[in-house]
Amino acid sequence: MGAQLRVYKRRIKSVTATKKITKAMEMISASRIVKAQRKVAASTPYATELTRAVTAVATGSNAKHPLTTEAENPTRAAVLLLTSDRGLAGGYSSNAIKAAGVLTERLRGEGKEVDTYIVGRKGVAYYGFREMPVTDSWTGFTDNPSYADAKKVAAPLIEAIEKDTAQGGVDELHIVFTEFVSMLTQTPVDNRLLPLSLSEAEDGEGAKKELLPLFDFEPSAEDVLDALMPRYVESRIYNALLQAAASEHAARRKAMKSATDNAGELINTYTRLANQARQAEITQEISEIVGGASALADATAGSDK
C-alpha cells in the first residue's frame, strides 16, 4: 500500500508541474493574440485598397500582364503554404497542410505541375519526412512576422510568376493559410493571388461598390502594373502571415487551456486514488492491531487456565 501511495504522489507532482507550464503558455498566447489582431486590423485596409487599385488599372486598360491576365493553357502553379514554427497548437498546422494537399491534388487533376513553397518548421518537417519536393522554405518568424519577412517570401514567387514556364516559371500563384475568424474559430483557406480575378476582387470583402474611375497612364499601363505587382503580392502575403500568426496564437491558447483543464481533472483523480490508498493502508494497520490484540488476549486467557 505504501508503494502505491508513493506512486500516486509522484504522479500528482508531475502533472502539477505540467499544469503550471500549460497555464503559463495559455496566458502568453492570450496576450499575443491581442497584438496579432491589431496588426491584422491595421494591414487589411492597405491590402484591400491595393487590390482595388490593381483592379482599377486592369479595368481601365487593355494591357496583358501576369498580374491580371490568365494564361491560355496554364501548365504550372506555385502553392505557398503557411504553417507554424512551434507545436502545441492543436490541429493548426495539420489542418493547413491538409488544405494544401487538397489544393495540390486539384491542381494536378487540372494537368498542372505544382511547385510548393513553405513557411514554418512544421510544414517543412512534414514534407521532408515524406520526401515530398519543396521548392523553397522559410522558418523562424511565424509567430511574429514583419513586412521584411513578407518581402523575403514574396521575392522568389514574383520571380517565378515573371518567368516563362519553359524556364521554370509558373502561371498561377496560390496561398494556403489559416484565416482568423474569432478566438474560437480559425479556418484554413486557399486563395489564388495571381493572376488576380477582377470579378472576385470587385466582390471581395471590404471592397467598395462604386464605379472605378478612369485613368490615363503614363508611360503605360504595363509599367504601372509592373510597379504594383510586387507591392500587391507582398501586401497579400504579409496580411496572410498576420492572419496565420493570430490563428496560431488562438489555436495554442485553446489547446493549452484544454491541457490545463485535463491536468486539473487528472490531479483530482490521482488525489482521490491516493486518499483511497491511504485509507486502505490505515484500515489494514488497524485490522492488524486489533488482530494482534485479540490474539494476545486469547493467549493470556489460555495460560490462566
Side-chain angles (χ1 to χ4, degrees), residues 12 265 267-277:
I12 291 172
E265 293 178 2
I267 290 172
N268 292 335
T269 299
Y270 282 139
T271 301
R272 185 169 58 253
L273 293 174
N275 291 337
Q276 291 175 356

Side-chain angles (χ1 to χ4, degrees), residues 103-176:
L103 173 62
T104 300
E105 290 301 319
R106 177 169 62 82
L107 293 174
R108 288 174 178 168
E110 296 172 357
K112 302 170 186 174
E113 296 182 24
V114 178
D115 293 341
T116 303
Y117 298 79
I118 300 178
V119 174
R121 292 190 178 92
K122 290 298 179 180
V124 173
Y126 179 91
Y127 277 70
F129 180 77
R130 288 158 180 78
E131 298 182 352
M132 301 166 66
V134 175
T135 304
D136 205 348
S137 63
W138 302 267
T139 59
F141 54 82
T142 61
D143 59 343
N144 188 25
S146 64
Y147 196 83
D149 298 322
K151 292 184 67 174
K152 181 170 60 176
V153 174
L157 296 171
I158 296 172
E159 182 180 355
I161 202 72
E162 290 176 342
K163 287 183 180 179
D164 293 332
T165 53
Q167 300 176 349
V170 296
D171 298 312
E172 298 177 0
L173 171 58
H174 300 259
I175 183 170
V176 179

Side-chain angles (χ1 to χ4, degrees), residues 42-53 231-232 235-236 239:
S43 69
T44 299
Y46 176 79
T48 301
E49 289 301 320
L50 190 53
T51 302
R52 185 170 176 272
R231 302 291 182 270
Y232 165 75
S235 66
R236 292 294 297 272
N239 184 259

Side-chain angles (χ1 to χ4, degrees), residues 283-299:
T283 302
Q284 182 178 359
E285 291 178 355
I286 292 174
S287 299
E288 292 175 353
I289 293 173
V290 171
S294 177
L296 183 59
D298 293 341

Side-chain angles (χ1 to χ4, degrees), residues 234-250:
E234 290 167 4
S235 66
R236 292 294 297 272
I237 291 178
Y238 181 53
N239 184 259
L241 285 170
L242 294 177
Q243 293 262 8
S247 299
E248 178 185 347
H249 293 315

